[in-house]
Amino acid sequence: MNSSFKTVITYGTFDLFHYGHLEILRRAKELGDYLIVGLSTDAFNRIKNKKCIFAYEKREEILKSIKYVDKIIPENSWSQKPFDIKKFDVDIFVMGDDWRGKFDELTDSCDVQYLPRTKGVSTSELKQIIDK
Ligand code: C2G
């Protein structure tokens, strides 16, 4: 693969998919040529203490229909990132800036970019509105 070809990776739960999720995927893809998404499994969401409305298969189905996403891999643990970066020859790791600083150890293996979160929307806020 020529050196200008850039592989980008990002991770998340992507539950109740919304435009904040779309925006991070759009911007992540814009940084390179190929975007891999590490999608949190239901078991990993339990480890993250994150209650999920939609099961992995449903969240995966939505991500598969997003034009920015080229590949989806399961995210089973906090520790898999360096292995994924090596396995898929990742050039750029992207997360929203709510995670700023949390994955800086990955700068040894690739470019780490924290992008501004999209204001005004979050899965937890959507859940509160739905629960009303
Ligand atoms: N995001 C965003 N703007 C929002 C909401 C979310 O940019 N309004 C971004 C988050 O910063 C994250 C991605 O969308 O980069 C996915 O968000 P979540 O599904 O909430 O993922 P999270 O629970 O943060 O899991 O190992 C990393 C974890 O799996 C990340």
Side-chain angles (χ1 to χ4, degrees):
M1 210 161 295
N2 69 50
S3 60
S4 70
F5 187 92
K6 294 256 180 284
T7 299
V8 188
I9 198 165
T10 189
Y11 294 81
T13 299
F14 296 100
D15 192 29
L16 295 182
F17 195 84
H18 54 66
Y19 63 92
H21 296 138
L22 190 62
E23 273 300 285
I24 192 95
L25 296 174
R26 181 185 63 73
R27 288 173 294 160
K29 180 60 175 283
E30 221 166 57
L31 293 171
D33 306 281
Y34 189 85
L35 176 60
I36 302 171
V37 176
L39 182 60
S40 308
T41 60
D42 298 334
F44 184 50
N45 277 323
R46 282 191 285 279
I47 293 170
K48 290 199 299 191
N49 273 328
K50 191 150 190 166
K51 201 180 162 327
C52 220
I53 303 284
F54 291 122
Y56 181 87
E57 292 70 24
K58 292 287 173 247
R59 293 182 284 119
E60 183 190 37
E61 211 175 313
I62 289 172
L63 282 185
K64 273 182 179 166
S65 59
I66 306 290
K67 64 183 178 182
Y68 307 119
V69 178
D70 296 295
K71 183 181 184 61
I72 300 165
I73 59 171
E75 182 188 29
N76 300 296
S77 72
W78 291 113
S79 58
Q80 72 182 72
K81 295 183 179 70
F83 302 98
D84 293 342
I85 287 166
K86 194 166 171 54
K87 178 177 176 183
F88 298 108
D89 194 16
V90 169
D91 301 284
I92 308 166
F93 167 84
V94 167
M95 286 304 292
D97 62 3
D98 46 317
W99 291 93
R100 184 173 294 285
K102 300 285 189 309
F103 301 113
D104 289 356
E105 74 280 2
L106 298 176
T107 44
D108 304 342
S109 9
C110 68
D111 176 15
V112 173
Q113 299 222 12
Y114 300 103
L115 305 179
R117 270 177 75 91
T118 300
K119 296 203 177 350
V121 66
S122 72
T123 302
S124 35
E125 280 167 67
L126 289 175
K127 281 181 188 170
Q128 279 164 14
I129 295 165
I130 294 167
D131 286 349
K132 272 190 184 134

